[in-house]
Amino acid sequence: MRCTRVWFIAAVAVALLVGASPQVWAKQLDEAEIYIEINDTDGDAGIQMMLDGEDWKRMRAWDPFEVKILDVKARGAVGIQGMTELFFESAEPSFDEQPLAAFLALFPEGIYRFKGVTTDGTTLRGEAELTHDLPAAPDLVSPADGQDDVDPDNTVIEWMTVADPPGSSIVGYQVIVEREEPSLLVFSADVGPGVTSVTVPPEFMESGTEYKYEVLAIEESGNQTISEAEFDTE
């Protein structure tokens, strides 16, 4: 009799589970990225990470060997309100202090896994692949580093095409021009892999002013390498 009762209870439980409406046990992050940025001019490298998802109060990350590398927890008012976006850059010691090989050993290639908890207790999950497919540094053509007679009405940033890294491809370039004085002013443009020059809008430029510019070569997994130079307008 007892055995019959146990089988009856088990059958009812299965029926309830089968007939129950499906539940969402976890949601996916809207965005999860991890990539390497090398500054060839300064001679350093760093890791960058971007996570985006609905109001979470805790987020953790594991490397491909299941070593936890990040644990962020919001508290107090921020924990109640929740967070949505997290972007950070690691420190970037010079290659003299930390050779590139040592940096790459810290951040091995593979799938990085992310797990968070929203303010209502829902689990958030995501993953991103980190590669060691590193672009070469863009060879800057003009303006030349230190040039002091650039025409503010015709400022053209020009560089040489960067060859595809082995096993990957260059997907585009980013050009950034900065004026620091008397106040910070930034011009930025994203262009495709077949473009090797960008004309800076004349309204951004001023005569007798110092500017810094950088060109980033970006490969398909997101890794990027920067070349920098400075110039003055006439």
Side-chain angles (χ1 to χ4, degrees):
M1 183 72 177
R2 180 178 178 182
C3 183
T4 302
R5 185 181 301 114
V6 171
W7 279 107
F8 175 76
I9 293 172
V12 170
V14 171
L16 288 173
L17 287 172
V18 172
S21 58
Q23 299 186 40
V24 177
W25 298 104
K27 293 183 178 180
Q28 291 295 306
L29 285 165
D30 296 329
E31 186 175 0
E33 297 179 10
I34 182 169
Y35 52 90
I36 295 166
E37 181 179 271
I38 294 177
N39 189 315
D40 185 72
T41 304
D42 290 345
D44 58 43
I47 202 79
Q48 298 189 4
M49 190 180 296
M50 169 67 183
L51 302 173
D52 191 9
E54 64 181 57
D55 48 347
W56 52 268
K57 59 183 180 181
R58 188 176 187 183
M59 188 65 63
R60 291 168 288 174
W62 291 264
D63 75 7
F65 298 104
E66 291 299 313
V67 176
K68 187 189 293 185
I69 60 171
L70 182 73
D71 195 340
V72 177
K73 187 173 184 180
R75 299 180 182 274
V78 176
I80 295 171
Q81 190 73 10
M83 303 171 67
T84 59
E85 187 175 294
L86 174 68
F87 171 79
F88 75 85
E89 302 178 66
S90 71
E92 299 172 340
S94 72
F95 289 146
D96 290 336
E97 301 173 69
Q98 183 188 55
L100 180 59
F103 168 81
L104 295 177
L106 278 178
F107 299 97
E109 291 184 290
I111 302 299
Y112 286 69
R113 186 169 58 88
F114 308 98
K115 183 179 179 181
V117 180
T118 68
T119 54
D120 66 2
T122 300
T123 299
L124 281 173
R125 297 184 185 275
E127 61 181 34
E129 183 178 8
L130 179 69
T131 77
H132 289 174
D133 301 331
L134 304 176
D139 185 4
L140 304 181
V141 175
S142 66
D145 190 26
Q147 185 173 341
D148 60 4
D149 59 352
V150 175
D151 182 357
D153 294 323
N154 186 31
T155 302
V156 180
I157 308 298
E158 186 177 359
W159 62 95
M160 300 293 291
T161 299
V162 175
D164 292 337
S168 183
S169 61
I170 299 297
V171 296
Y173 302 93
Q174 184 179 30
V175 177
I176 300 173
V177 182
E178 292 185 3
R179 182 202 72 186
E180 295 184 351
E181 300 293 342
S183 60
L184 180 64
L185 191 62
V186 179
F187 165 79
S188 178
D190 296 292
V191 297
V195 179
T196 57
S197 67
V198 167
T199 300
V200 184
E203 56 268 25
F204 176 82
M205 306 300 296
E206 294 184 3
S207 299
T209 304
E210 181 179 317
Y211 292 87
K212 179 177 77 173
Y213 77 95
E214 55 188 52
V215 178
L216 293 74
I218 306 169
E219 61 84 39
E220 60 185 345
S221 72
N223 296 329
Q224 52 195 36
T225 301
I226 302 170
S227 293
E228 298 180 344
E230 297 181 352
F231 66 88
D232 291 345
T233 52
E234 58 184 12

